[in-house]
Amino acid sequence: MSITDTTAGKVEASIDEQGIATITFFHPSHNSLPGALLDELAATITRVSQEEQTKVIVLKSGGERTFCAGASFDELMAIENKEQGLVFFSGFAKVINACRTSGKIIIGRVQGKAIGGGVGVAASTDYCFATKHASVKLSELALGIGPFVVGPAVERKIGLAAFSQLSLDAAEFRSAEWAKEKGLYADVYDTTEQMDAAVQAFAARLATYSPAALRAMKEVFWQGTEHWDKLLIERAGISGTLVLSDFTRDFIRSFKEKK
């Protein structure tokens, strides 16, 4: 999580002649995700998934060394009541559920660090590539809120034991190799160029497969998550309440003073 201009950032989408759609989100502050950007990202994933020409989706962020730094501290500090807290954290729920309900296989491309909600975004893809710089950290507990919204997506990918370790060890990064060993990443590469070549080759191969078979496999992968529309909103309410605590306010103020 980081200090963030809540009005900056963008989401872009394109599709090539093979049917490979690429969705890119970017924010100048380490690809943090303010509420407006979360809403735009979720809507873009849903829209691109519904386009007939889309055969497979690549989800990526801009920049070099940070995939996604999670939530915006400025926006967290601006939350004044539980209702506003619920709305903000529901943004992460929308992105996760957009990935979950997409009828298309989503390939993740993680070029750098994933923090907090960024880990949740990576975990919501169906097959994820990374570089050796793509270390992970669930920092929410140190902030006083806990990884409640992204928790189901992360636990689904790496299991309860690894999720517990990542959640409780909230101050430390785990390496990309650790994340691969636990199942978050399928492959880890030394360079971004190597990763991008692998992503392109894999996406091109998937684009030649039967769309009906891929859709059916997607349903199998996500079986048992049908209740997440309700569950993740309930989890957003927990974080939305905790963010109002003196503990969290004091932590953010202290963090900003060090900047």
Side-chain angles (χ1 to χ4, degrees), residues 45-57:
I45 292 169
T46 298
R47 175 179 58 80
V48 171
S49 297
Q50 293 171 346
E51 292 177 354
E52 186 175 350
Q53 63 267 42
T54 300
K55 294 182 178 178
V56 62
I57 296 172

Side-chain angles (χ1 to χ4, degrees), residues 123-146:
S124 300
T125 65
D126 299 298
Y127 197 102
C128 198
F129 293 85
T131 73
K132 64 182 181 181
H133 304 293
S135 53
V136 296
K137 179 170 70 171
L138 288 178
S139 56
E140 289 90 340
L141 197 60
L143 179 62
I145 54 177

Side-chain angles (χ1 to χ4, degrees), residues 46 49 96-104 215 218 222 229:
T46 298
S49 297
I96 293 169
N97 279 324
C99 291
R100 177 180 67 85
T101 58
S102 168
K104 307 298 167 61
R215 178 183 291 272
K218 175 96 177 192
W222 289 89
D229 283 327

